[in-house]
Amino acid sequence: MITMKFGGTSVGDAQRLCEVAAIVRSHLSRRPVVVASAMSGVTDLLLGTARLALERKKDEGLRNTEELRRKHLEIVMALVEPGDARDRLVREQGELIDKLETLFRGVHLLGELSPRSLDAIASFGELLSCMQIAAILEARGIPARFVDARPLIRTDSSYGEAAVDIAVSNDRIRAALLPLVESGVVPVVTGFVASNAEEITTTLGRSGSDYTASIVGAALGCSEIWIWTDVDGVMTADPRVVEGASPLGEISYREAAEMSYFGAKVIHPKAMQPAIEHGTPIRIKNTFNPSHPGTLISSAGNSSAKIVKNVTSIDKLGLVAVEGSGLMGAPGVIARLFAALARVGVNVMMISQASSEHNVCLIIPEQDCRRAVEELRAELDPELARKAVEAVRVRDSVSIIAVVGEGMRGVPGIAARTFTAAARADINVIAIAQGSSELNISFVVDQSEAHRAVRAIHDAFDLG
Ligand code: ASP
Ligand code: MG
């Protein structure tokens, strides 16, 4: 058995959906379970329409629901033969969109849009999409069944990004899906959506369908989880930055996790967890190039291959530096800095402090810099007043360069090669960090030099 997840672009138009059907057909002997996202753009459209309803922009909202109706109807008319099955699908999709309009009207009337309501509204994208995928498969002679994942995947009530109760979910997933697969039916399971103990709809967070696929694949004991997307796999670098970037054949879970920022465009970082726990390999495959083997992510991950596997720049960041002699040997200062940032909801992406303890530098999203600095200055006000802390400085427009590979652990000289490459390209390194897992060397450069740095390191390690 395998689980196959198709993302928004893979189910985004009639031609792509024909591809999906062809892919499922060609792997029927593997007994596939399909997990799918909403058609591309639909989740954004739903959330956008909910906000329009809140702002009481009725006409724009109506235009959006009409677009939704048209978008799905067009697919059904193109891909499902006239007949009872089509009539039923059109009716059921129509009823869903009617229900959605009722919800929008509710938001409009109450002038209130809670995270709970947003989840209820967002869930319609996957319901509409999976309903039609099942019908399209059936229309092509592939026995298939639409499966609403909400009764199967149990979460807490953290609307917007709920936490999954794996034990409860596993039992339900097995009970619902195994009989279908055993009778030769392809279940088409809604990604992204779930429900809490009160059976109220929740979601697993944006791009959460990968996570659904991983939960389902692990629960069913699938031999592999295939994430179908629009690239040949995880690449050595962003192909828009490095011309010679190429897909990686195999990587380990740990490498995938270290690449999570870059890889997040390919797979949701959360999707790694259930797979790791069950030792289920994840394969990234390209719907536009289905015969390509893609990237296999597993515990082995081909450690004999290259030492460094991937180099990425994370752009649009800011560097906040806290400096002063009063930081030295003062326990609890770092805790206060992090607590202050947590209070204003700022995520720290990298931290570096040299052993002099004179300077702590934190890398955060650029758009959060102002908020972060204000809060840090307030927190450190007493220290600033007595000059124990000299300054809280900020520098905009920096990038993190992350160099990732399991093979670099215990191998001397990787940092030297990395920084020699940067130096040869005349790039100034502002700050450096490496976790003791030795899987990832990260350093900070000015954003204007970031892509040059990526290319230089990609070259230096012969990644192309
Ligand atoms: N449709 C959801 C989203 O756009 C989930 C997904 O695509 O995986 O975030
Ligand atoms: Mg998506």
Side-chain angles (χ1 to χ4, degrees), residues 275-313:
I276 292 174
E277 238 151 72
H278 285 74
T280 316
I282 297 178
R283 195 182 283 281
I284 310 294
K285 298 269 293 173
N286 188 355
T287 37
F288 291 89
N289 187 11
S291 59
H292 192 283
T295 300
L296 188 73
I297 308 174
S298 68
S299 52
N302 197 10
S303 45
S304 63
K306 294 200 159 93
I307 291 174
V308 167
K309 293 205 176 150
N310 167 281
V311 49
T312 311
S313 77

Side-chain angles (χ1 to χ4, degrees), residues 200-222:
I200 297 163
T201 300
T202 57
T203 64
L204 306 184
R206 292 309 305 270
S207 301
S209 298
D210 291 345
Y211 189 29
T212 306
S214 183
I215 293 167
V216 167
L220 297 177
C222 285

Side-chain angles (χ1 to χ4, degrees), residues 151-210:
L152 308 186
I153 300 186
R154 160 73 64 82
T155 65
D156 68 4
S157 302
S158 323
Y159 299 104
E161 187 158 358
V164 176
D165 181 333
I166 290 285
V168 172
S169 307
N170 281 353
D171 288 343
R172 294 181 174 191
I173 290 166
R174 286 185 203 120
L177 302 186
L178 284 177
L180 288 176
V181 178
E182 270 150 24
S183 63
V185 172
V186 179
V188 181
V189 185
T190 53
F192 181 55
V193 301
S195 67
N196 66 12
E198 287 76 47
E199 294 175 12
I200 297 163
T201 300
T202 57
T203 64
L204 306 184
R206 292 309 305 270
S207 301
S209 298
D210 291 345

